[in-house]
């Protein structure tokens, strides 16, 4: 028994023409019920009488479309997909087929081919309902920054972190690879963004220890009423960039969605180009991937006013985007910093730095600079902790501080012996001491005179 597939409209016509054939209704009435003109109804009814139910099925059903793709092309595309793009989605696979293989296909065409071949299955994602936040109106009004640790190189090297910055109003994106998400990585990424776009008004980050600290504010921070700041937070304060902390990943959803784009498209692009090192990956980002990303995903801001700012001339980025710590100079003009000892040069003696605070600045490239009231100082690093005893000059009372005793025949000891009561025999020790040294102090000298008169 043959199975006949009919559409809903064809089944309706079958029911109407069956009644016309049985004489229950006229053909004119049947044409009106089937929503056909009378001429169309006559032709359709004639095919129904001659061919039966098959005459109502559309003539093109089961035939290849004149605009259909070549079956050989379909087999070639499916073979390429399985060989090179097995984990690519239809959209990304269509882009790479066009750019690498010169095969231009519609995304939906490729999707149908993959689904029919069992190579792709759509996945419905249901998430928690959240309120949509509109974009900022101006470029540079708010920039989101976050790091994504991922197996970007698929085992060709250890995991790395991709620092990403995205403008909330336009989707303009900057990204750079680092070994891990650190303060140096955050400062370096922000510096590169400044070179390309300028200073944003505000930066949106998460509650990472790079951006937020739990320590108490120092006295200097309390006096300036800025609260406890991390090194990155202090740099943003000096640059006039407001640091905003997000309370959830969804709050900074734009940069999180950009992570998803990178983890899909960038991973596959690095694989196809066999890139397995950070330097090569960063070059690929700057020269190819990011320009293509801006072309595809950047949108126009609602307002034409760009709120990015120039860096003030009074600020040096190499000093601001760096580690800064204050240290007190010792009396010997040395100070300790991170287990290392430093000696300030003699040429700085006019500054009278002993017991004063100096600012140690470690720049992002590891260079160290010493500042006093924003003026650089000359210094040298000592190989080990200085010996404070060796360089101290002996004074009249230095034996008390240095902890050693005078010799038994020292004149001071002899004076103490001479001050004891009793006659001085020629053979006694006091007879050997000159009279001028027998008096240890003015008070003892007066007492000795009285004793001598009494005797």
């Amino acid at each position: 028994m043959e199975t006949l597939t009919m559409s809903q409209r064809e089944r309706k016509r079958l029911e109407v023409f069956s009644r016309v054939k049985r004489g229950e209704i006229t053909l004119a009435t049947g044409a009106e019920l089937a929503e056909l003109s009378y001429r169309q109804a006559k032709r359709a009814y004639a095919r129904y009488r001659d061919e039966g139910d098959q005459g109502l099925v559309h003539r093109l059903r089961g035939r290849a479309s004149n605009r259909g793709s070549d079956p050989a092309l379909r087999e070639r595309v499916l073979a390429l997909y399985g060989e090179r793009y097995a984990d690519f989605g239809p959209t990304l696979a269509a882009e790479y087929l066009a750019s690498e293989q010169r095969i231009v296909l519609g995304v939906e065409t490729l999707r149908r081919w993959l689904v029919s071949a069992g190579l792709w299955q759509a996945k419905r994602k249901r998430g928690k309902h959240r309120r949509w936040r509109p974009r900022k109106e101006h470029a540079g009004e708010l920039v989101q920054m976050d790091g994504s640790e991922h197996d970007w190189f698929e085992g060709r090297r250890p995991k790395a972190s991709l620092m990403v910055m995205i403008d909330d109003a336009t989707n303009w994106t900057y990204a750079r690879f680092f070994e891990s998400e650190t303060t140096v990585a955050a400062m370096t990424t922000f510096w590169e963004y400044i070179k390309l776009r300028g200073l944003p008004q505000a930066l949106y980050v998460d509650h990472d220890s790079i951006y937020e600290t739990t320590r108490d504010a120092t006295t200097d921070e309390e006096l300036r009423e800025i609260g406890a700041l991390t090194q990155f937070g202090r740099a943003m304060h000096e640059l006039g960039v407001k640091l905003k902390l997000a309370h959830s990943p969804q709050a900074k959803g734009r940069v999180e969605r950009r992570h998803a784009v990178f983890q899909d498209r960038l991973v596959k692009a690095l694989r196809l180009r066999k890139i397995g090192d950070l330097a090569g990956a960063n070059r690929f980002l700057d020269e190819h991937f990011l320009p293509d990303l801006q072309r595809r995903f950047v949108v126009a801001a609602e307002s034409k006013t760009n709120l990015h700012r120039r860096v003030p001339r009074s600020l040096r980025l190499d000093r601001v985007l760096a580690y800064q710590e204050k240290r007190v100079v010792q009396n010997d003009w040395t100070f300790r910093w991170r287990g290392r000892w430093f000696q300030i040069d003699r040429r700085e003696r006019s500054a009278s730095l002993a017991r004063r605070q100096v600012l140690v600045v470690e720049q992002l490239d590891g260079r160290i600079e010493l500042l006093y009231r924003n003026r650089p100082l000359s210094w040298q690093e000592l190989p080990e902790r200085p010996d404070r005893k060796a360089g101290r000059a002996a004074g009249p009372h230095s034996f008390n501080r240095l902890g050693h005793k005078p010799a038994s025949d020292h004149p001071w000891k002899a004076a103490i012996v001479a001050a004891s009561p009793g006659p001085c025999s020629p053979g006694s020790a006091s007879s050997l001491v000159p009279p001028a040294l027998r008096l240890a102090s003015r008070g003892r000298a007066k007492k000795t005179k009285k004793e001598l008169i009494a005797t």
Side-chain angles (χ1 to χ4, degrees):
M1 182 177 180
E2 183 181 358
T3 301
L4 188 63
T5 303
M6 303 181 75
S7 66
Q8 187 69 24
R9 185 177 60 177
E10 291 167 349
R11 290 176 60 84
K12 183 177 181 180
R13 291 180 183 179
L14 175 61
E15 180 184 355
V16 171
F17 289 154
S18 298
R19 291 186 176 187
V20 173
K21 187 176 182 180
R22 293 194 298 267
E24 297 178 3
I25 58 175
T26 63
L27 184 58
T29 303
E32 185 177 353
L33 293 175
E35 299 179 353
L36 296 171
S37 68
Y38 184 70
R39 292 185 62 185
Q40 287 177 314
K42 285 179 64 177
R43 290 196 300 268
Y45 184 65
R47 289 197 302 269
Y48 171 66
R49 285 184 309 176
D50 296 341
E51 302 177 17
D53 296 354
Q54 180 67 37
L56 297 178
V57 177
H58 199 284
R59 299 299 193 193
L60 296 179
R61 182 166 300 164
R63 293 175 55 184
S65 171
N66 293 333
R67 301 178 60 184
S69 302
D70 185 3
L73 176 63
R74 181 177 183 274
E75 295 301 324
R76 180 188 172 195
V77 168
L78 294 178
L80 283 171
Y81 182 86
E83 179 182 349
R84 291 178 61 84
Y85 316 116
D87 58 343
F88 286 38
T91 302
L92 187 60
E95 293 178 9
Y96 274 88
L97 286 170
S99 62
E100 293 189 350
Q101 310 297 332
R102 300 294 187 268
I103 300 175
V104 180
L105 285 175
V107 174
E108 291 305 317
T109 299
L110 180 59
R111 189 190 309 275
R112 287 195 304 270
W113 289 1
L114 296 178
V115 171
S116 63
L119 300 177
W120 178 256
Q121 183 178 3
K123 300 177 182 179
R124 296 188 63 184
K125 296 181 179 180
R126 297 184 181 273
K128 181 180 178 181
H129 174 268
R130 297 183 183 275
R131 183 180 179 182
W132 176 76
R133 179 182 62 81
R135 294 179 181 272
K136 296 297 183 182
E137 296 182 4
H138 307 85
E141 185 175 355
L142 178 67
V143 175
Q144 300 182 16
M145 182 168 74
D146 191 31
S148 174
E149 185 176 358
H150 186 69
D151 187 12
W152 297 100
F153 302 91
E154 299 178 310
R156 296 187 297 277
R157 59 148 287 140
K159 287 185 177 182
S161 182
L162 182 67
M163 299 296 298
V164 180
M165 295 184 67
I166 180 171
D167 184 80
D168 190 81
T170 63
N171 272 354
W172 195 93
T173 306
Y174 179 76
R176 192 168 187 83
F177 279 109
F178 295 90
E179 291 290 347
S180 59
E181 184 178 2
T182 61
T183 300
V184 173
M187 287 185 175
T188 303
T189 304
F190 190 78
W191 194 344
E192 295 298 328
Y193 181 92
I194 292 175
K195 292 179 183 178
L196 298 172
R197 304 283 287 175
L199 284 172
Q201 298 293 325
L203 191 66
Y204 207 27
V205 295
D206 54 21
H207 285 262
D208 192 277
S209 59
I210 298 173
Y211 316 110
E212 182 185 35
T213 180
T214 57
R215 65 172 175 81
D216 296 331
T218 63
T219 304
D220 184 51
E221 290 171 337
E222 289 179 350
L223 291 175
R224 292 190 292 166
E225 298 182 351
I226 58 176
L229 297 176
T230 63
Q231 290 288 340
F232 189 88
R234 185 263 317 153
M236 294 301 102
H237 178 76
E238 293 184 18
L239 294 172
V241 178
K242 186 176 182 180
L243 199 62
K244 296 184 176 182
L245 302 177
H247 294 286
S248 67
Q250 291 78 14
K252 49 185 179 61
R254 229 169 292 285
V255 70
E256 295 291 343
R257 288 191 293 274
R258 187 59 81 236
H259 286 331
V261 172
F262 280 121
Q263 291 177 9
D264 180 30
R265 290 172 173 258
L266 182 56
V267 169
K268 297 175 175 63
L270 294 175
R271 178 204 308 161
L272 294 176
R273 286 161 180 78
K274 299 180 180 179
I275 298 176
D277 62 289
L278 296 186
N282 284 326
R283 284 195 303 270
F284 174 69
L285 277 172
D286 294 338
E287 298 173 3
H288 301 284
F289 193 86
L290 288 178
D292 182 66
L293 193 75
Q294 318 297 15
R295 180 176 58 84
R296 291 176 179 273
F297 297 109
V298 166
V299 298
E302 184 176 344
S303 174
K304 294 183 179 180
T305 304
N306 192 335
L307 295 184
H308 285 100
R309 299 172 290 117
R310 293 184 178 179
V311 179
R313 293 185 178 181
S314 59
L315 294 179
R316 283 183 51 178
L317 287 179
D318 59 343
R319 290 179 179 173
V320 175
L321 295 173
Y323 284 95
Q324 295 186 6
E325 295 182 13
K326 292 183 178 180
R327 288 294 183 269
V328 176
V329 180
Q330 303 299 316
N331 289 333
D332 55 1
W333 286 49
T334 63
F335 65 93
R336 186 181 182 183
W337 180 72
R338 296 187 180 180
R340 301 159 65 182
W341 286 91
F342 298 86
Q343 175 75 63
I344 300 176
D345 289 346
R346 183 180 179 83
R347 70 186 73 173
E348 308 292 348
R349 62 183 179 274
S350 60
S352 301
L353 294 175
R355 295 300 175 184
R356 297 183 183 271
Q357 282 190 342
V358 293
L359 183 65
V360 184
V361 179
E362 183 182 15
Q363 300 179 6
L364 297 180
D365 57 3
R367 290 182 299 171
I368 297 176
E369 193 174 15
L370 189 62
L371 303 177
Y372 177 66
R373 296 179 179 176
N374 292 327
R375 183 176 71 84
L377 302 174
S378 57
W379 54 272
Q380 58 181 341
E381 185 172 356
L382 302 176
E384 58 184 5
R385 179 177 181 176
D387 186 359
R388 302 189 186 280
K389 297 180 181 180
R392 181 174 296 171
H397 302 288
S398 61
F399 64 90
N400 290 329
R401 293 193 298 271
L402 298 181
H404 56 261
K405 295 180 180 181
S408 58
D409 59 348
H410 194 278
W412 290 1
K413 280 196 170 185
I416 295 174
V417 174
S420 59
C424 297
S425 61
S428 64
S430 59
S431 63
L432 301 177
V433 181
L437 295 179
R438 293 177 184 175
L439 306 179
S441 63
R442 185 176 179 180
R444 183 168 296 278
K446 292 180 180 179
K447 182 178 179 181
T448 306
K449 281 183 179 180
K450 291 179 180 179
E451 291 177 351
L452 291 175
I453 292 172
T455 56

